[in-house]
Amino acid sequence: MKPLSVKNLAVITAGYIVQGSEDILIQHGAYRLKQVKKPNTALFTSKRIVNWKSLEPLSPLVIVTDRAYRPTEIPTKIIIIQVANVDEAYWKFVHFYRNQFHIPIVAITGTSGKTTTKEMIKHILSADRQVTATTLSSNSRTASLQYLLNIEDDTEAAVFETAVGSPGDVTNAGKYFKPTIGIITNIGAHHLNYCKTLEGYIQAKGEMLDIIQPKGTLIINAEDMNTKKLDISKFNGRLVKVGIHDSCHFRASHIQYYQKGMNFKLHHNRKTYDIFVPGFGQHQVYNALAAIAAAYEIGVPIPVAANQLQSFRQLKKQLQLFEGINHSMLLDDTWSITTTSLEAALKVLNELGDGKKKIAVIGTITDLGSWGYIIHEQAGELIQRIGVDVLITIGEHARIMADHAVKLGFNAPVYTYKNSTLVYPLLQKIIDENTIVLIKGDMYSEQVSKLATELKYKPPPPTV
């Protein structure tokens, strides 16, 4: 955080200092008591603090509050700024802090690919710029303040994920970050337990159109069907389309699988560039297109971005390829699961598994609420359409996708289990060196994650 004096914070929040020195420098911010970890923190709260003694190790601590305290109950090392309304004071502070910095800020949302795209942009920009970004996929609304305060005087660009757990989340993130560039990677079906309907989820993602700063840039996947349902006409900034269609500003052609990644040709402004991006699948090409487009908007020439992208390190548990048990091939895709990412994973399985026995081990899709049955049936349709040689599901809801795939005509062997206990013994029997296994689930499923670890080949210990 760029340090701020107590005196200046009082002016910004239209408050007055009840107790303490006006010269103390504030170096951290929080709006919940449990977020206070270090001295020199400004805590915005209207809740009554009872255990003042526990806060003494964190002194000097600045409390911005609209609650009245008796002077005798507050330790002398605690600084109090009294304000009329603590919520209004908090947002005045947030807006002041953000408005100090005139740098490119990228905000990314999407059902799949947002973390990878964000990491690609960060990797490209970090070659010659000081960049701050969200940590991996840690993008909850409670973390937004800390990410904003990570912007300091030497920061030259910032890249933040703006995830959707419920309607309003992207709008709320926009109040913090005020992005100059927004990206929607794609819109599938997720978090329907809070968004209620697919249309509600699409509109929640579409909040990105409203948070980009005037004359900013919106980058979209031109081929994504649900993104096409957004009313782009209300966006007044610059629209950049990525994809494989001739109408795209950043267009990919000649897409090919290569060693540990994808080769393709990028077409932009009547010029063609050869691109390699680590990580398998056509979806990875779309991630790369969005990342290059964002970097280009910031001022990075395409050849420079392409060269930097070659050294990008694929994220863990996102279609990572390993040697599996019995010298098989193993695709570990256990970071998250949606129908969008499942479709991408099954396509990669089929491409890499050409000529091999293809086994898919799939867990439950979460955060669907009353839509659970329908979305799992849609997953079954994907399995039946794309095809595998053996299907194994783990979990009660995952069985729905298996049953629906069979109902639609899927005639390969199917195994459904409530848990993963019997899956490893089965795979030991049916896997050999001519087999490729996809294991697909999310980070919250300990069973699926543990099974993925067990399926990786472990070399025998060296003999003495």
Side-chain angles (χ1 to χ4, degrees):
M1 175 182 170
K2 182 178 179 179
L4 182 70
S5 72
V6 169
K7 179 180 179 180
N8 286 340
L9 181 60
V11 172
I12 292 163
T13 58
Y16 62 94
I17 302 168
V18 174
Q19 173 178 299
S21 170
E22 66 179 20
D23 298 322
I24 294 292
L25 287 182
I26 299 163
Q27 297 174 317
H28 312 281
Y31 61 88
R32 292 180 178 176
L33 187 56
K34 66 179 182 180
Q35 293 174 329
V36 181
K37 306 293 183 183
K38 298 177 181 179
N40 299 90
T41 296
L43 170 64
F44 294 78
T45 182
S46 61
K47 293 184 177 179
R48 175 168 289 282
I49 296 173
V50 178
N51 188 4
W52 289 99
K53 193 172 183 62
S54 67
L55 300 180
E56 289 184 2
L58 298 168
S59 298
L61 174 65
V62 182
I63 295 179
V64 182
T65 182
D66 51 13
R67 179 180 288 274
Y69 289 100
R70 296 190 308 274
T72 54
E73 66 181 305
I74 307 170
T76 56
K77 290 184 179 180
I78 302 294
I79 300 160
I80 301 292
I81 297 178
Q82 190 81 39
V83 295
N85 183 293
V86 76
D87 287 333
E88 291 180 5
Y90 174 73
W91 286 110
K92 285 177 182 177
F93 165 68
V94 167
H95 295 321
F96 167 82
Y97 194 85
R98 169 63 183 91
N99 290 340
Q100 292 183 97
F101 305 99
H102 304 285
I103 60 173
I105 293 186
V106 184
I108 306 171
T109 196
T111 304
S112 301
K114 55 185 175 291
T115 300
T116 299
T117 302
K118 180 260 298 179
E119 290 294 321
M120 285 181 178
I121 296 169
K122 177 184 174 184
H123 183 70
I124 293 170
L125 297 179
S126 295
D128 61 358
R129 287 172 170 83
Q130 188 70 28
V131 182
T132 189
T134 42
T135 304
L136 292 178
S137 61
S138 177
N139 52 33
S140 70
R141 66 176 71 86
T142 59
S144 293
L145 176 63
Q146 302 311 318
Y147 286 129
L148 174 66
L149 298 182
N150 283 343
I151 301 175
E152 299 180 337
D153 278 335
D154 62 348
T155 305
E156 297 171 279
V159 194
F160 301 120
E161 285 188 43
T162 52
V164 169
S166 36
D169 282 353
V170 173
T171 297
N172 187 63
K175 292 168 67 176
Y176 287 94
F177 303 135
K178 300 181 182 178
T180 59
I181 299 172
I183 300 174
I184 303 175
T185 58
N186 51 58
I187 306 175
H190 202 34
H191 296 298
L192 299 182
N193 49 342
Y194 292 109
C195 293
K196 305 301 181 186
T197 66
L198 178 58
E199 290 71 24
Y201 179 67
I202 292 171
Q203 292 307 312
K205 290 293 187 187
E207 292 170 14
M208 178 63 73
L209 278 66
D210 301 319
I211 69 171
I212 300 170
Q213 293 298 284
K215 299 183 180 179
T217 301
L218 173 65
I219 300 170
I220 62 170
N221 175 345
E223 275 96 53
D224 183 65
M225 296 306 296
N226 286 332
T227 302
K228 291 179 181 179
K229 296 176 183 178
L230 295 174
D231 182 10
I232 303 293
S233 65
K234 68 178 182 178
F235 178 68
N236 296 319
R238 171 175 157 77
L239 178 65
V240 174
K241 298 178 181 180
V242 303
I244 59 176
H245 191 269
D246 288 342
S247 64
C248 293
H249 303 93
F250 289 79
R251 180 172 68 88
S253 70
H254 299 84
I255 300 172
Q256 296 178 322
Y257 280 69
Y258 191 62
Q259 298 174 1
K260 297 185 179 180
M262 307 297 292
N263 275 336
F264 64 96
K265 291 189 180 296
L266 169 61
H267 306 271
H268 176 72
N269 283 348
R270 300 181 181 179
K271 292 183 179 179
T272 302
Y273 307 86
D274 291 319
I275 308 291
F276 169 76
V277 56
F280 294 114
Q282 184 162 311
H283 67 283
Q284 191 75 333
V285 173
Y286 282 82
N287 294 337
L289 288 172
I292 293 171
Y296 183 82
E297 288 293 310
I298 293 171
V300 180
I302 292 175
V304 175
N307 182 63
Q308 183 71 357
L309 197 58
Q310 293 182 55
S311 59
F312 174 72
R313 296 186 66 177
Q314 188 182 359
L315 301 182
K316 292 181 179 180
K317 299 186 177 183
Q318 296 194 21
L319 284 172
Q320 275 188 295
L321 185 62
F322 297 92
E323 181 178 355
I325 60 172
N326 301 340
H327 304 290
S328 61
M329 294 172 65
L330 176 67
L331 277 170
D332 182 351
D333 199 27
T334 55
W335 187 255
S336 67
I337 180 169
T338 63
T339 50
T340 305
S341 65
L342 176 60
E343 180 176 15
L346 290 171
K347 287 179 178 178
V348 172
L349 176 66
N350 273 273
E351 288 287 345
L352 294 181
D354 188 27
K356 295 179 178 289
K357 178 164 64 175
K358 298 176 283 291
I359 300 176
V361 182
I362 307 174
T364 297
I365 304 173
T366 56
D367 292 335
L368 297 177
S370 61
W371 284 76
Y373 197 91
I374 294 172
I375 299 300
H376 280 89
E377 282 195 334
Q378 291 177 2
E381 292 174 17
L382 290 173
I383 294 165
Q384 193 277 331
R385 173 167 57 82
I386 298 171
V388 295
D389 297 314
V390 179
L391 173 62
I392 300 170
T393 63
I394 300 173
E396 289 285 359
H397 284 87
R399 179 171 185 159
I400 297 169
M401 64 178 83
D403 291 344
H404 195 64
V406 171
K407 181 180 177 181
L408 295 174
F410 183 78
N411 56 10
V414 175
Y415 302 87
T416 59
Y417 297 96
K418 292 182 179 179
N419 56 57
S420 63
T421 305
L422 299 176
V423 178
Y424 184 81
L426 169 66
L427 290 171
Q428 271 190 316
K429 294 178 182 178
I430 64 176
I431 285 177
D432 58 26
E433 67 277 2
N434 196 41
T435 303
I436 180 169
V437 180
L438 165 69
I439 180 162
K440 179 71 174 163
D442 69 28
M443 68 185 87
Y444 303 110
S445 174
E446 293 183 8
Q447 293 188 64
V448 175
S449 295
K450 181 181 178 182
L451 180 61
T453 301
E454 292 174 340
L455 290 174
K456 292 169 187 173
Y457 170 73
K458 299 172 184 64
T463 56
V464 178

